[in-house]
Amino acid sequence: TFTALPSTIMRLGAEPVLVEATKSWTMDLDDLEKKIAAFPDAKVLLLSHMRGKVCDMDRVVEICEKNGITLVEDCAHSCGVTWRGKQLGYHARVTAYSTQSDKVINSGEGGFITTDDDEIAAKIIYLSGCYERRYGKHAVRPADELCEVAMAEMPNLSCRMNEVTAAVMRPLIKNLPQRVADYNRRYDSVVKVLREEAGDIIVVPTQDERVGTVGDHLNFYLTGVTDEQNALFRQTCVAMGVPVSWFQSQVNARWHVNWRKYGSPTFDLPNTDEVLRFAYDLKMPPYFDDADFPAFARVIAHAARVAAGDDDL
């Protein structure tokens, strides 16, 4: 996941408990159950669908209900991603989405929250910047009685999205289905090249068949290489103009070890670290031409073969 999650938890005065990840880059639900047992005071599962990778949501709900855990979904990377044909995020009591510049809906900065809990909705209205009885200006809102309670109890954080940001988002919401199809077509062309030209070295994780994916980022890991070969792979990619991002870089905000520098609790996550040791991330720019995607995939495949010492190059 991303550094913003433990940061937010700590800012609220709560304690983050980190859970292992699988080779598919989703939360390890077996480890989740172990952590719940080890931390019986746990109240909330903040589930991050990093880069739109989705674990078994049916089992997640079952685990939460069995243990009295409130589910909150971080869908920052999941606009357009579906579970059983429905936009991801509907399992949680509250879900957050991002429209930051790297996201499928790009408004520069910003995001939005969804919930079907009227009490939470009323609180959100006032947290966002509403005051006095201006809840009446919200076209969609919970009952006035709940808004009256929130008006008296909630602090004002003045974090409402401005009109210009919202205006930027609206056409991108409207044409999201077509853009998802474009993302996935280009993503498939990249994966095809990687598997054909370096499939013995590069592993691109697959998703649960119940997930409707959005190929806006390429995630993969190398297999059968040493740390020295891994470094050579990175050097070759960068030298050829493809800036792959290594997850275990000392500046990568997605590696849990780097969070310790600002006080995040230390957890031993050997399975996660082994996956991230040779793992990479690359944005699939929507403004590239279709022909660009197989081209940079060939660079990545070439770099993998160089790193592996392929003598036939």
Side-chain angles (χ1 to χ4, degrees), residues 122-162:
K123 290 179 177 180
I124 289 170
I125 287 174
Y126 277 91
L127 283 170
S128 71
C130 185
Y131 61 94
E132 297 171 350
R133 289 195 168 91
R134 299 199 175 195
Y135 60 78
K137 294 180 178 293
H138 286 254
V140 178
R141 65 178 190 273
D144 290 357
E145 293 79 10
L146 292 174
C147 292
E148 289 283 323
V149 173
M151 176 178 63
E153 296 181 351
M154 300 306 296
N156 185 321
L157 301 184
S158 296
C159 55
R160 182 189 296 113
M161 181 180 291
N162 64 56

Side-chain angles (χ1 to χ4, degrees), residues 186-199 204 297:
R186 293 166 168 180
Y187 178 88
D188 290 344
S189 72
V190 170
V191 173
K192 182 175 185 291
V193 170
L194 296 181
R195 288 176 174 162
E196 287 178 352
E197 300 189 10
V204 181

Side-chain angles (χ1 to χ4, degrees), residues 32-95:
L32 171 62
E33 294 197 281
K34 293 176 183 176
K35 292 291 171 56
I36 292 173
F39 295 87
D41 294 334
K43 297 179 176 64
V44 174
L45 171 60
L46 178 49
L47 177 58
S48 176
H49 304 295
M50 181 65 184
R51 295 295 189 240
K53 305 293 191 294
V54 186
C55 55
D56 183 343
M57 291 306 300
D58 294 347
R59 186 178 171 195
V60 168
V61 171
E62 179 184 330
I63 291 171
C64 288
E65 290 179 347
K66 180 176 67 176
N67 293 281
I69 301 289
T70 297
L71 175 61
V72 175
E73 288 184 73
D74 170 19
C75 285
H77 294 271
S78 301
C79 290
V81 176
T82 61
W83 175 263
R84 296 186 181 274
K86 186 176 179 180
Q87 168 63 52
L88 188 65
Y90 65 90
H91 297 89
R93 189 173 180 191
V94 62
T95 297

